[in-house]
Amino acid sequence: MSESINSHPDCSRSVQNGMKMWGGRFAAGPSSSMDALNKSISFDQRLWQVDIDGSVAYAKGLNLAGILNSTELSAIITGLKQVKEEWKNDQFVLQETDEDIHTANERRLTEIIGPVGGKLHTGRSRNDQVATDLRMWLKDEIVIIEGLLVKILDVLCNRAETELDIVMPGYTHLQRAQPVRWSHFLMSYAVSFKSDYVRLNSLLPEIDELPLGSGAVAGNPLGINREYLASLLAFSNVALNSMHAVSDRDFVAQFLQWAALTGIHLSRLSEDLIIYSTKEFRFITMSDQYSSGSSLMPQKKNPDVLELLRGKAGRLIGNHTGFMCTLKGLPSTYSKDLQEDKEPLFDSVDQIKIMLDAAHGVLATLTINANACRSALSFDMLATDVAYYLVRKGVPFREAHHIVGKLVVLAEGKQCHLKDIALKDLQSIDHRFADDYAQIWDFEKSMEQYSATGSTAHAAVWQQIATIREFIMNTKERFTIEQ
Ligand code: ARG
């Protein structure tokens, strides 16, 4: 780390001297601990591409405003192209003095094309630059994440369709409650992931506002046409207020919250599947691809992937909570605290992508054990249907519930199932019981009663699948329009 004196006003020379882009007023370089704290290049270098694209657009904007002539513009564009190639081919050599991706790219540009490179930053600040880069980067990532969500929806619909006849216990309080279709269970998560998609997509309009041209705080004094910049960079709008634009990270906070909530959905699904994969349940068998063994117990097959999904949800919540704490109490406009936006954002994007991909893999490869699911059903789970039987005969539900309670006591006394109580004993409790009582005890028939929209009857679950499929179709149309 150089501690030499920065005496040269020429930006390219000062870099060669091992000094900072902003080093003109400084007599000494930063201390090594300041430098270590300050540097973001180790993680923000992943913004290299959007940073260069933003610079190309800005150079064109400077040309339109008469700040760069066409020779200077083409030199800058050619130089930036070379910088891009170097990044692409893994040939970009970072220097000790490269503080962040913005200074690194500008340093390299100036090395390639000479002092004219120093004109690129005219009227621009890293404040509007970084805010622009981050929005551009996140917009692209969101499209990728939406694609992963669609894949999960797709596999859930496929399974739900082919496995529509598989019956399992529906649980409340993790106690067996009523028989439901396995597909009904699958579609319950499809609804969560569909909402995740909708919520994620709804973040886009806010991200789609261009900060570039806001400068450090006050705006741009050189006649930069920001609408022109927006059109070059495919932003729908320009940010309305430069003071807001340079420091607004609400979109980061919102994305982190989105990732945390989606992580929670993946975590809850994982918890269900972990339970269903135990030897006690045996409802599902995880594929070997998504399981691991024990180093000690040879018989073990552990659902590690599901545990990791559950564990990572905590990390995503932490990223959100931590960044909210960073934002809280910041004075208006840019403060360096905002550099703390990137690591949680990059991490949440990376993690949620791996998580969605792994969840897709698990769902696509697990085996459902229809017999085990069915064997877990017991006739007591149809007690509610006995109450509905009486309701259909005109008994008020409260009274019917009470009568069935008495039946339960009677069955316990006789040590038999509700199903096996003799007709005369039934009638001793209520005269409205008749021969058709025997028809209650059929799980398929039970489920078919639940035919209202959203319920577990065949047609009702089918409708849920069809609705999600239609949703997928519409998102695909959106993807094709955008590509
Ligand atoms: N690396 C910085 C960040 O990520 C860039 C902006 C620096 N701005 C400044 N005024 N020092 O926030």
Side-chain angles (χ1 to χ4, degrees):
M1 170 65 237
S2 167
E3 297 275 324
S4 65
I5 304 229
N6 176 22
S7 55
H8 206 289
D10 180 304
C11 146
S12 64
R13 297 287 292 280
S14 64
V15 167
Q16 282 156 19
N17 289 345
M19 294 306 293
K20 300 285 184 188
M21 290 283 179
W22 41 257
R25 74 177 301 290
F26 287 82
S31 77
S32 57
S33 58
M34 163 62 189
D35 203 45
L37 196 63
N38 190 32
K39 267 182 152 176
S40 52
I41 189 69
S42 63
F43 50 87
D44 69 12
Q45 58 183 276
R46 68 195 288 171
L47 297 173
W48 65 265
Q49 185 154 1
V50 284
D51 191 70
I52 293 171
D53 292 345
S55 286
V56 170
Y58 193 69
K60 290 181 181 170
L62 287 174
N63 172 248
L64 194 69
I67 308 290
L68 290 178
N69 63 36
S70 54
T71 320
E72 292 166 329
L73 173 65
S74 72
I76 287 176
I77 290 179
T78 311
L80 286 171
K81 260 192 196 147
Q82 184 178 327
V83 180
K84 203 172 193 176
E85 282 307 302
E86 289 178 9
W87 277 112
K88 235 187 224 164
N89 303 322
D90 226 4
Q91 286 165 346
F92 190 100
V93 184
L94 285 171
Q95 304 291 319
E96 193 56 35
T97 46
D98 289 337
E99 183 179 318
D100 56 24
I101 185 61
H102 326 294
T103 51
N105 280 341
E106 190 182 329
R107 186 264 307 157
R108 184 68 192 124
L109 172 70
T110 311
E111 280 170 7
I112 298 168
I113 65 169
V116 67
K119 287 199 168 188
L120 172 63
H121 211 52
T122 314
R124 187 173 66 167
S125 157
R126 281 183 294 160
N127 298 356
D128 58 347
Q129 189 177 0
V130 69
T132 301
D133 288 4
L134 212 53
R135 285 170 187 263
M136 287 170 71
W137 181 83
L138 189 55
K139 279 204 293 179
D140 290 346
E141 290 295 327
I142 283 178
V143 175
I144 297 170
I145 297 170
E146 286 177 346
L148 292 168
L149 281 166
V150 169
K151 272 180 75 181
I152 293 199
L153 290 178
D154 201 44
V155 76
L156 285 169
C157 286
N158 290 343
R159 285 209 89 117
E161 198 173 321
T162 49
E163 294 165 348
L164 197 51
D165 290 330
I166 296 176
V167 195
M168 68 184 283
Y171 294 87
T172 65
H173 310 266
L174 206 55
Q175 307 291 320
R176 285 182 301 184
Q178 291 180 306
V180 294
R181 291 179 191 283
W182 154 249
S183 301
H184 196 191
F185 164 79
L186 291 176
M187 295 317 288
S188 72
Y189 278 102
V191 176
S192 293
F193 295 126
K194 170 184 170 279
S195 300
D196 290 332
Y197 182 105
V198 172
R199 260 190 295 271
L200 181 60
N201 201 251
S202 75
L203 302 185
L204 279 172
E206 201 177 313
I207 305 175
D208 204 14
E209 293 184 355
L210 178 76
L212 198 60
S214 296
V217 57
N220 188 288
L222 301 167
I224 277 284
N225 183 333
R226 296 185 60 216
E227 285 71 18
Y228 173 61
L229 296 180
S231 73
L232 291 177
L233 293 172
F235 274 82
S236 305
N237 293 298
V238 296
L240 184 64
N241 174 304
S242 64
M243 295 178 76
H244 180 259
V246 293
S247 74
D248 175 46
R249 296 293 185 276
D250 290 359
F251 69 101
V252 175
Q254 282 191 321
F255 178 86
L256 294 176
Q257 197 275 339
W258 174 86
L261 190 55
T262 303
I264 288 170
H265 296 150
L266 291 169
S267 177
R268 294 184 65 179
L269 168 65
S270 298
E271 174 64 6
D272 277 334
L273 296 181
I274 288 168
I275 293 170
Y276 294 168
S277 71
T278 58
K279 285 258 156 68
E280 287 74 10
F281 275 74
R282 290 177 191 273
F283 289 0
I284 62 162
T285 309
M286 296 279 293
S287 102
D288 284 356
Q289 276 177 285
Y290 290 97
S291 309
S292 74
S294 155
S295 58
L296 190 142
M297 298 163 283
Q299 86 285 5
K300 289 287 296 290
K301 179 166 162 181
N302 296 326
D304 291 36
V305 66
L306 298 172
E307 294 161 34
L308 286 163
L309 290 175
R310 197 176 52 187
K312 280 182 186 293
R315 175 169 166 173
L316 296 175
I317 294 166
N319 284 343
H320 175 239
T321 311
F323 187 58
M324 294 292 274
C325 295
T326 301
L327 289 181
K328 178 197 161 299
L330 287 187
S332 63
T333 91
Y334 184 86
S335 296
K336 197 62 173 267
D337 315 44
L338 290 173
Q339 182 163 282
E340 290 298 309
D341 57 0
K342 283 167 223 50
E343 285 163 293
L345 179 64
F346 295 160
D347 186 56
S348 287
V349 166
D350 291 344
Q351 297 303 323
I352 202 74
K353 278 161 72 180
I354 311 174
M355 289 165 73
L356 289 169
D357 203 33
H360 171 264
V362 167
L363 290 167
T365 57
L366 65 79
T367 313
I368 175 79
N369 308 320
N371 290 339
C373 292
R374 192 175 188 96
S375 321
L377 298 176
S378 54
F379 285 117
D380 59 308
M381 295 173 70
L382 301 185
T384 316
D385 288 351
V386 179
Y388 291 148
Y389 165 92
L390 291 170
V391 164
R392 289 196 181 97
K393 290 179 189 270
V395 183
F397 180 74
R398 274 289 146 243
E399 189 190 339
H401 190 281
H402 190 73
I403 294 168
V404 180
K406 282 190 182 160
L407 282 191
V408 171
V409 176
L410 182 78
E412 273 171 8
K414 290 185 177 289
Q415 294 198 332
C416 71
H417 292 303
L418 273 184
K419 164 180 178 291
D420 298 324
I421 301 176
L423 186 56
K424 66 171 179 21
D425 293 330
L426 292 169
Q427 287 176 338
S428 74
I429 287 182
D430 193 283
H431 68 278
R432 284 162 291 199
F433 283 115
D435 280 344
D436 54 0
Y437 181 75
Q439 289 168 16
I440 294 174
W441 310 101
D442 178 317
F443 294 121
E444 266 73 23
K445 268 201 193 146
S446 163
M447 289 190 305
E448 286 313 286
Q449 299 170 78
Y450 293 82
S451 58
T453 305
S455 312
T456 211
H458 197 283
V461 177
W462 188 258
Q463 190 198 352
Q464 294 159 41
I465 300 170
T467 305
I468 300 289
R469 279 216 188 287
E470 196 183 327
F471 177 80
I472 294 174
M473 286 299 295
N474 290 335
T475 65
K476 281 193 178 141
E477 269 164 32
R478 198 189 131 243
F479 280 130
T480 24
I481 289 164
E482 278 187 359
Q483 276 156 14

